[in-house]
Amino acid sequence: MYPLSASSMSDDGDFIVVLDAGHGGKDPGTIGTSRSNREKDIAFNITMEVGRMLKSNNPNIKVVYTRSKDVFVELGRRAEIANDAKADLFISIHVNSLPKGSRRSVNGVQSYTLSLSTAETNLEVEKRENSVIALEGEAAKKYNYNATPESNIMFELMQDHDMKESVAFAQTVQNEMIRTGGRKDMGVRQANLAVLRLTYMPSVLLEVGFMSNPTEEKFLMSSNGQKKMSNSIYNAIVQYVSARTGQPQAYQPAIEAAPEEKAAPAQAVTVSSNTPKITYKVQVLAGNVKLKSNDRQFKGLKCEMHTKNGKYIYTHGAASTRKEAEKIRKSILKKFPGAFIVQFEE
């Protein structure tokens, strides 16, 4: 058994997905061959279509937007919206580009998860996606802080339980953008992106194509191209939710039709009979020290120890559903206000 993720699903049992349309308002993002071909519009159209399909076909998925019109939203505010919503998944949608003079033939899709190690990151993507901070004026000060070894350790512990799930979703959505969207695979990558760094749930930033490639620009500006990419992201979300909740979701087949033709109706996706058994537990502590079962840090609770990436993780209770696990979590909040739910797979 190993811990899969943390969860803070809403009290009514909904799986909360926050959709973040990149850029907006005074920040157009990447510009294409025409000044009217803007990243912010492509990202917005795809985001709203994904949300529309989720709301229409999946009543147990709650959709929250960071922006629902053409407005400028600070990166920190986007993360705040996701954190305040207690989201189970955060998806930021963008369009890629290479600097002038670079190869215009480069094309394809990329899915990014957070990395704090600059040696493993894509610096061009970091510079471009974080450049919006320059438009935030005084508000940008919140990104500047003097990190201490203690604060870095705390941050890593907070992010650790989400990283595996972020990668799992990134791989799922990357596969769907290739299969459903018909795009070239440029891989699942990592970058130190502010909007991902500030969120406290599984989070992924998607680059749905290259505006610097004329052919891909034309595809992304077309209604059919945007529909294909919307379907790709939608399919990845419902697969992820279905696997995590055990509840069938409506799945959208790949679109080969022309823009004016209707796509095939959504089909139900079910969890196969060999789906691993999921157990939900409440994590109360994590660290590098192995504690005895009667350690006073457990505050009298009976806790179970697990190991992950060289760390010790301590959980309390066990349940077969998130709803039952949430009751356990609430019952110990006075002792452990920061307790959260994790999944274990057998």
Side-chain angles (χ1 to χ4, degrees), residues 17 19 21 41-55 57-58 65 91 93-95 109 169 172-173 176-183 206-209 219-239 250-255 263:
V17 176
L19 299 177
D41 299 323
I42 296 171
F44 179 80
N45 292 343
I46 292 174
T47 297
M48 298 307 291
E49 177 61 13
V50 172
R52 184 197 66 77
M53 288 192 288
L54 287 172
K55 290 180 177 181
N57 299 320
N58 304 275
Y65 300 107
I91 305 167
I93 298 173
H94 293 257
V95 180
V109 292
F169 178 73
T172 299
V173 74
E176 277 297 324
M177 288 193 291
I178 298 162
R179 189 190 70 82
T180 308
R183 302 292 88 197
L206 307 179
E207 300 282 6
V208 298
F219 171 80
L220 291 171
M221 288 301 302
S222 72
S223 59
N224 197 47
Q226 291 177 13
K227 179 68 176 175
K228 280 190 174 184
M229 299 318 296
S230 300
N231 281 6
S232 300
I233 299 168
Y234 169 86
N235 283 347
I237 294 171
V238 298
Q239 286 178 53
Y251 183 83
Q252 187 69 46
I255 289 181

Side-chain angles (χ1 to χ4, degrees), residues 112-146:
Y112 281 88
T113 62
L114 178 67
S115 172
L116 299 181
S117 174
T118 56
E120 300 175 358
T121 65
N122 186 311
L123 294 179
E124 283 300 324
V125 170
E126 285 182 13
K127 287 190 290 185
R128 187 177 68 255
E129 300 302 356
N130 290 336
S131 65
V132 64
I133 294 173
L135 301 176
E136 297 187 13
E138 286 294 308
K141 290 182 179 179
K142 62 177 169 287
Y143 304 112
N144 299 321
Y145 61 94
N146 296 318

